[in-house]
Amino acid sequence: MARSPLVVGLAGSPRRHGNSEQLLDAFLEGARGAGAEVRKIPVVELGLTPCRGCNACSSTGECVLRDRMSEIYGALDAADAVVVGSPVFFATVPGVLKVAYDRCQPYWARTHVLGLPKPTRRPGALLLVRGGGDPYGFRSAVEPTKSVFAVLGLDMVGLLKVAGPDSPSDMGRRPEESEHARELGAALVEAVPEGA
Ligand SMILES: Cc1cc2nc3c(=O)[nH]c(=O)nc-3n(C[C@H](O)[C@H](O)[C@H](O)COP(=O)(O)O)c2cc1C
């Protein structure tokens, strides 16, 4: 029997169980309903050390920092599809998530410096929530995510942008957004190639 596809979800907010994580939970519920195994990683819990820009990974393809980023590397390497759920903080993603993005530099070094094969293409999705208190929108949170997705071989097949929720109870008043996230979760599983 074929194994279930693995969907990895990165929760990018420093606030646990807030609006973006609730959206991510709905998405992962949809993915599970479509037959996937799901694994959620709340990035803030890992206490990641920022990339030092030492470029050691350009020689070895590996990060010299020894911390719980290894859990994200392992999950990303095993994933058939990846979803990121994040709030917008000062027009981009929160620092905790950006640290994880920066720590993906070894993937860039492997293909762009060391000439190793590109990762197998897989579907990815992004769920963003913003309070809406500034005029800058979602764009500067989408772009860094697209940049890291490109390095990881992830094709953005789902993008959900929700403006308005601010206090963590606000998402509970937006059941249509959670339903949309559930549908996107199921669609992500459908986008995983046969036999992945
Ligand atoms: C430090 C900080 C910066 C924020 N910056 C923005 C922003 O630039 N634009 C915006 O629309 N909302 C901004 N917000 C509001 C959050 O996006 C909003 O509260 C969101 O619902 C939080 O999601 P979470 O519960 O998943 O953390 C900011 C909130 C914080 C705490």
Side-chain angles (χ1 to χ4, degrees):
M1 202 177 74
R3 68 173 178 86
S4 301
L6 174 64
V7 175
V8 168
L10 299 182
S13 179
R15 178 163 74 178
R16 289 301 319 273
H17 311 297
N19 294 312
S20 57
E21 192 172 338
Q22 290 170 49
L23 217 49
L24 179 63
D25 287 340
F27 184 101
L28 293 174
E29 198 180 291
R32 196 184 293 111
E37 178 192 341
V38 305
R39 193 181 306 168
K40 181 173 79 173
I41 302 180
V43 177
V44 69
E45 303 289 357
L46 304 184
L48 300 179
T49 303
C51 171
R52 297 200 303 227
C54 69
N55 281 342
C57 59
S58 287
S59 304
T60 64
E62 304 293 334
C63 185
V64 293
L65 298 172
R66 292 283 166 262
D67 63 4
R68 295 182 68 191
M69 186 66 195
S70 56
E71 295 173 33
I72 294 185
Y73 292 143
L76 291 176
D77 292 343
D80 297 297
V82 175
V83 53
V84 173
S86 177
V88 173
F89 273 16
F90 284 99
T92 183
V93 296
V96 285
L97 181 60
K98 185 61 167 61
V99 167
Y101 283 1
D102 292 351
R103 292 287 300 280
C104 288
Q105 179 70 355
Y107 293 98
W108 184 89
R110 283 175 210 161
T111 53
H112 290 78
V113 183
L114 300 174
L116 294 171
K118 289 186 175 168
T120 312
R121 299 222 69 85
R122 302 165 288 174
L126 174 62
L127 317 172
L128 288 172
V129 182
R130 62 186 289 262
D134 73 9
Y136 302 109
F138 292 95
R139 189 171 166 187
S140 303
V142 174
E143 300 299 328
T145 305
K146 279 187 178 166
S147 174
V148 79
F149 272 25
V151 160
L152 296 171
L154 296 167
D155 297 312
M156 185 84 76
V157 301
L159 177 58
L160 179 56
K161 299 184 279 193
V162 180
D166 209 0
S167 98
S169 56
D170 286 347
M171 194 53 78
R173 288 187 277 277
R174 306 280 291 261
E176 71 287 359
E177 304 292 4
S178 297
E179 185 50 34
H180 191 177
R182 261 187 289 277
E183 288 166 9
L184 285 177
L188 186 81
V189 176
E190 296 304 319
V192 173
E194 278 298 310

